[in-house]
Amino acid sequence: MSARTAGTPDLPHAPWWLDGVVYQVYVRSFADSDGDGVGDLAGITARLPYLRDLGVDALWITPFYASPQNDHGYDVSDYFDVDPLFGQLADADALFEAAHQLGLRVIVDLVPNHTSWDHPWFREALAAGPGSSARERYLFRPGRVGADGVEGPPNNWVSRFQGPAWTRVPASLDEPGEWYLHLFDTSQPDLNWHHPDVPAMFDEVLRFWLDRGADGIRIDVAHGLFKAPGLPDQTLQPGESADPGESLITQRPSHTPMWNQPEVHEVYRHWHRLLASYPGERMAIAEAWVRDPADIADFVRPDELQQAFNFHWLAAPWSAPSFQAVIEQTLSVVPAPTWVLGNHDVVRPVTRYGGGALGLSRWKAALLTMLALPGSAYIHQGEELGLPQVDVPPELRQDPRAGVPGRGGRDGCRVPLPWAGTEAPYGFGPGPGQPWLPQPASWAELSVEAQTGTPDSTLEFVRRTLALRRRLLADGTLSGPAKVFATDTELVIRRGTLVCHLNTGDAPLTLEARGQLVNGAEVLACTGDRPGDPNTATWLRRT
Ligand code: GLC
C-alpha cells in the first residue's frame, strides 16, 4: 500500500461551495409544468422541495436561454432572455426566489465559447460579408487550397461533434465563400475573444444573471475561448487522432492550438473580480476537459475560479488502483476539488460500471467513496434514482452528435425523469403527453414515488448518505486532509475519524462485522448487505 497526504485550503471560513453537493438539472428533462413534453423553469420550481429533501446545497441548471435548440440550449441566440420553451424571465426570477427561500443556491450555465448561428451577431456577420468588422466577432477565414487544387477548410481542426471544425459560408452570401470556425456543431460558431465586443457582452451577461439572483455560473467549454495565434494546424503524434470520437479526457491533449490557451485565465481573473463585487459567496466552475490534472489547477486559483470540474474519476475504470491514482493526482494539485461521476454528456455511471444490479451497486459505492473526500460533489439528475443509460432508438435520437455513424450520441443519459405512476410519462408532465425522449417501461419502479419511503431504494440511500455527510462535516468526523491507500482490489480513505473502504474486487474484504462494530469501529454507512462485500463501500468511524 502507498499513502499520500493532501491538504485542505487554509481559508478563514469555509464557503458553501467548498464541500457543497450540487445537483445538475438538465432543464429539458427534469420536470415539465405545461405538458408540452419538455421540461421547463416552472417545472423545476415546483420540484425544488424534492431537491431540498434530497439534501443538496445547490442546483446547476443547463442553459435555458433563447436558442434554436440545435444543441439543446448550448447554442444561445439571446443570452438575456429565457427560451419560450422553458418559460419567461419572470419564471427564472421565481425560481431563484423559491430556491433561496428553501436554502438552495442556483448556478446558471454560461456559454461563452460560441453563440448560435441565430445570434444577431452571427446573422449580421454573414450579411456584412468578408472583411467586415461584424465578421471579426467570430473566426472567419479564407479556405486553403490543397495540393489537388481544391479549396478546403483553413486548417485541419476537427469538430467535437463531427467532421471539420469549419463550414463554408454559402456562395449566395459571399463569393468565394469564407469559412467559419465551430469547434462543436456547425450551428455553434466560435466567438473571437480578441474582439472587444465579446468580453464586453459577457460582462453584461454575467451581471444580468447575478443581478437576478444567480449564486454561481458554470462556464461551458471554459478552456476553449482563445485559439493559438494564426490558427495553426493541429500537430498529431503518431497514432493520435484529431477526432476525439467518444473518448473522454484520456486522449485529449491539454494543449492543442484550439484548447487551453493561456489567455483564458485573464478572462477568469476578471470574472473573479466581477463575482466578488456581489454580496454572498458567488462562485464559478469551469467545464474544461483537460488531460493533465495540473491543468485543472490552473483554473482554480485564489484570484481565479472557485472550482473546475474534475472529470478524471469519470474517465477511470472500475479499479482501486486507478481510483487511487485519480484521487491522489487530483488532491495533489487541487486540495478541495470537485468529484463527478456523470453528467448530460456521458454514459450514465450505472451503465458504465457494468449495468444492472452490479452497475448500481458500484455506482452507490463510488458515490459513498467520493463523498468521503475533501471537496464538492456534483450529482447528475436521475443518478439518485439509479437510472441507467437508455438505448434510445436511432430514429428518435435528437443529439446533434447522434447523427455520426458509430456514435450513439448523448440522448441515452438525457431521458426525462420518472416522478410517479406506472406508465410514461411517469408524472414528468401534467397530462398523459409523452416527453421529448421516450422513457422505458422499466422505469415505473425507479420513479421518485416508487422509491420514496422504501428504505433499500437508491433514492433513500442517497438521502440518508447526504444527510449523514452533512452531520459528519458538522461534527468534525469528516474533516481535514485525506490519506488514500490502495491494493489491487481495495481503496481506503482515511479522513478525520472516518475510514472508507471501497471493495472493487470479487472477494469480500476481511472487515469483520460484529453488530454495529467492525474491528472496534462504528459502521456509519454501507452500500451492501455486509461491510466489505464486493462492489460496495463502507464508512467506519474509528473510536
Ligand atoms: C459542453 C456541454 C455540451 C455541449 C458543448 C457545446 O461540453 O456540456 O453539452 O454540447 O459544451 O456547447
Side-chain angles (χ1 to χ4, degrees):
M1 287 208 181
S2 65
R4 195 177 297 168
T5 308
T8 41
D10 188 17
L11 291 168
H13 75 286
W16 71 270
W17 42 263
L18 197 70
D19 52 24
V21 177
V22 183
Y23 184 94
Q24 179 192 354
V25 170
Y26 191 69
V27 58
R28 298 177 73 86
S29 302
F30 186 67
D32 170 21
S33 72
D34 57 10
D36 66 356
V38 178
D40 47 42
L41 296 183
I44 301 172
T45 304
R47 299 289 188 182
L48 287 173
Y50 168 76
L51 297 182
R52 178 207 46 203
D53 296 345
L54 188 61
V56 300
D57 300 283
L59 54 152
W60 145 40
I61 310 175
T62 57
F64 48 79
Y65 321 109
S67 160
Q69 301 292 321
N70 284 307
D71 189 18
H72 296 155
Y74 283 99
D75 48 325
V76 181
S77 55
D78 183 352
Y79 292 86
F80 302 95
D81 207 354
V82 171
D83 195 283
L85 193 59
F86 304 130
Q88 304 179 351
L89 277 175
D91 295 307
D93 295 340
L95 193 162
F96 291 139
E97 197 186 327
H100 293 157
Q101 273 172 12
L102 295 176
L104 294 165
R105 317 252 182 174
V106 184
I107 298 173
V108 297
D109 212 321
L110 190 76
V111 189
N113 180 66
H114 44 263
T115 69
S116 159
W117 61 9
D118 276 356
H119 192 281
W121 277 359
F122 194 70
R123 291 172 171 234
E124 193 189 333
L126 286 183
S132 62
S133 60
R135 284 212 174 172
E136 281 170 19
R137 295 196 189 106
Y138 293 90
L139 293 157
F140 283 87
R141 293 289 182 278
R144 181 166 68 180
V145 179
D148 54 3
V150 178
E151 187 184 314
N155 68 22
N156 70 349
W157 297 2
V158 168
S159 149
R160 285 288 303 120
F161 286 175
Q162 64 173 314
W166 297 89
T167 292
R168 195 173 194 177
V169 175
S172 57
L173 288 167
D174 65 75
E175 182 65 49
E178 284 192 321
W179 300 67
Y180 67 89
L181 179 72
H182 53 88
L183 293 180
F184 293 86
D185 190 49
T186 178
S187 65
Q188 294 167 299
D190 279 54
L191 285 162
N192 172 16
W193 268 83
H194 289 291
H195 192 293
D197 287 356
V198 174
M201 178 176 81
F202 280 96
D203 275 10
E204 275 183 57
V205 175
L206 246 82
R207 289 188 194 286
F208 183 83
W209 292 103
L210 292 169
D211 286 342
R212 298 192 99 88
D215 299 283
I217 52 169
R218 177 246 188 208
I219 306 167
D220 188 63
V221 194
H223 57 321
L225 273 43
F226 289 89
K227 282 76 183 172
L231 310 183
D233 273 347
Q234 180 176 4
T235 315
L236 298 172
Q237 304 305 320
E240 190 185 359
S241 166
D243 181 350
E246 292 280 25
S247 76
L248 298 170
I249 33 189
T250 41
Q251 286 174 28
R252 287 186 216 171
S254 292
H255 295 279
T256 57
M258 65 282 256
W259 303 121
N260 213 23
Q261 299 298 308
E263 294 94 328
V264 292
H265 298 293
E266 201 39 60
V267 173
Y268 301 139
R269 286 192 190 109
H270 172 67
W271 288 4
H272 177 99
R273 295 191 290 274
L274 199 155
L275 286 158
S277 72
Y278 280 80
E281 294 163 335
R282 315 273 177 129
M283 54 78 75
I285 174 164
E287 184 220 24
W289 291 86
V290 288
R291 185 167 60 181
D292 184 349
D295 289 321
I296 290 273
D298 285 349
F299 291 84
V300 190
R301 293 188 268 201
D303 62 345
E304 210 168 317
L305 304 180
Q306 285 71 19
Q307 295 184 330
F309 282 111
N310 160 28
F311 294 123
H312 290 85
W313 192 327
L314 183 154
W318 176 259
S319 113
S322 69
F323 291 157
Q324 181 199 26
V326 165
I327 294 167
E328 288 191 339
Q329 281 167 12
T330 304
L331 290 177
S332 69
V333 291
V334 184
T338 60
W339 305 105
V340 189
L341 296 173
N343 64 31
H344 67 292
D345 292 328
V346 299
V347 172
R348 282 197 174 274
V350 165
T351 303
R352 250 187 12 244
Y353 285 148
L358 175 69
L360 181 61
S361 169
R362 288 178 170 178
W363 173 76
K364 286 162 76 174
L367 181 79
L368 196 68
T369 306
M370 80 181 198
L371 289 174
L373 290 163
S376 126
Y378 280 71
I379 296 178
H380 176 212
Q381 68 177 37
E383 284 180 9
E384 80 281 17
L385 302 175
L387 297 187
Q389 186 80 355
V390 177
D391 189 12
V392 177
E395 67 281 9
L396 298 179
R397 291 181 191 160
Q398 310 227 7
D399 177 17
R401 242 173 60 179
V404 189
R407 293 193 200 165
R410 300 168 294 181
D411 297 292
C413 63
R414 299 175 174 182
V415 173
L417 292 194
W419 290 94
T422 53
E423 44 188 63
Y426 303 113
F428 173 67
Q434 294 302 304
W436 68 284
L437 285 174
Q439 301 156 303
S442 55
W443 280 18
E445 61 195 44
L446 297 180
S447 75
V448 171
E449 181 184 59
Q451 297 198 41
T452 297
T454 307
D456 61 356
S457 71
T458 310
L459 177 59
E460 293 298 351
F461 155 73
V462 175
R463 286 179 176 151
R464 272 196 310 275
T465 302
L466 295 185
L468 173 65
R469 178 175 179 272
R470 221 173 237 192
R471 278 203 306 280
L472 300 181
L473 284 169
D475 73 13
T477 303
L478 204 47
S479 64
K483 282 186 180 172
V484 186
F485 308 82
T487 65
D488 283 351
T489 56
E490 182 185 7
L491 179 80
V492 181
I493 296 166
R494 285 174 175 267
R495 186 174 171 219
T497 50
L498 188 113
V499 189
C500 174
H501 294 267
L502 170 70
N503 182 353
T504 58
D506 298 329
L509 300 174
T510 49
L511 300 177
E512 278 176 35
R514 286 190 290 272
Q516 279 307 293
L517 291 181
V518 170
N519 295 334
E522 181 190 358
V523 180
L524 295 171
C526 174
T527 61
D529 293 337
R530 274 167 38 105
D533 273 356
N535 302 303
T536 70
T538 307
W539 276 5
L540 304 175
R541 178 160 41 199
R542 286 180 288 136
T543 47

